[in-house]
Amino acid sequence: MRFPELANFDFPIVSQGQQADWQLADVDSLPDNSIIRQWLLDPDSLTAKLKRHCHTFSVEVLGQHPGVIRPDEARWLGNVSEATIREVILCCDGQPWVFARSVFPQSALDEQALKLGQLGNQPLGAHLFAQPDLTRSDIEVSAFTPQSRISQLHQCLNYPPQTLWGRRSCFTAAGQRVLVAEVFIGESVPAQLTRL
């Protein structure tokens, strides 16, 4: 693992008791900083955006296994209680930028067009955006306090306690749904701006 500091974190990092306060992205739920808002609301592939900000982009897979998902996630997937959970850290030039958590039902894992079971350390986002029939829900956002599990991960990577901003949306392709949450950590522009 590229980040041995995370060896003491059980998978999944985000579990049942750690619900975020996801809100539809609007004037009341978004941060005041316009640059952070741009990162949260960007409709294009985050993977592509990250690649434009570094020389080397990589994915550190924390895990991809079946598990019990949270009720606020289940409602996006047709109220299934279990799904495949994939958690990764997206890195720019070897530094952590994004903690990403994706959940999708077994039917999505079995869908040949999506190849979700064969991702390995390839970015899910780039794969989804390559689907010809891709649609995306409205974006939700959430602020994560320094006490949150994701902020604890951020601090374990030797960053100071701080509020972190994340976004999530549900992608639909090949008749399947994939819920993707992305939280800006570490060296990411939103995390750096929040530290100021």
Side-chain angles (χ1 to χ4, degrees):
M1 176 182 280
R2 177 176 294 141
F3 301 111
E5 306 96 325
L6 303 183
N8 292 331
F9 280 80
D10 293 330
F11 180 87
I13 300 293
V14 177
S15 62
Q16 281 297 102
Q18 298 151 8
Q19 293 191 14
D21 185 23
W22 294 106
Q23 304 282 328
L24 195 61
D26 61 22
V27 67
D28 294 324
S29 60
L30 288 164
D32 292 333
N33 186 291
S34 62
I35 297 174
I36 299 176
R37 287 199 304 270
Q38 289 170 10
W39 279 83
L40 291 170
L41 298 177
D42 192 327
D44 298 322
S45 165
L46 179 59
T47 297
K49 188 178 183 84
L50 293 176
K51 287 180 176 179
R52 292 193 298 270
H53 281 77
C54 63
H55 297 291
T56 305
F57 173 83
S58 58
V59 178
E60 179 70 28
V61 180
L62 302 176
Q64 178 172 322
H65 305 288
V68 177
I69 60 175
R70 302 191 321 258
D72 66 297
E73 296 172 324
R75 67 179 174 84
W76 285 101
L77 303 183
N79 290 318
V80 297
S81 60
E82 293 192 7
T84 295
I85 301 168
R86 175 180 169 88
E87 293 181 340
V88 303
I89 296 177
L90 306 180
C91 302
C92 288
D93 297 326
Q95 300 301 311
W97 273 54
V98 174
F99 168 81
R101 174 183 167 95
S102 307
V103 296
F104 42 88
Q106 181 66 41
S107 58
L109 193 65
D110 294 339
E111 175 54 55
Q112 288 300 311
L114 297 180
K115 298 186 172 85
L116 297 180
Q118 303 163 32
L119 285 171
N121 63 357
Q122 298 302 306
L124 171 64
H127 189 72
L128 286 175
F129 274 89
Q131 300 299 317
D133 62 342
L134 182 71
T135 60
R136 184 181 194 173
S137 72
D138 290 335
I139 293 174
E140 295 180 332
V141 297
S142 180
F144 294 82
T145 69
Q147 294 75 39
S148 68
R149 185 73 165 157
I150 294 171
S151 188
Q152 290 171 11
L153 174 146
H154 169 85
Q155 293 167 52
C156 189
L157 294 171
N158 298 314
Y159 293 96
Q162 67 177 89
T163 297
L164 301 169
W165 282 94
R167 67 181 195 168
R168 78 173 179 184
S169 52
C170 189
F171 295 88
T172 303
Q176 301 296 326
R177 292 182 177 181
V178 180
L179 182 65
V180 180
E182 299 151 331
V183 182
F184 296 101
I185 65 171
E187 297 298 319
S188 67
V189 173
Q192 290 185 56
L193 289 174
T194 306
R195 283 202 289 274
L196 296 177

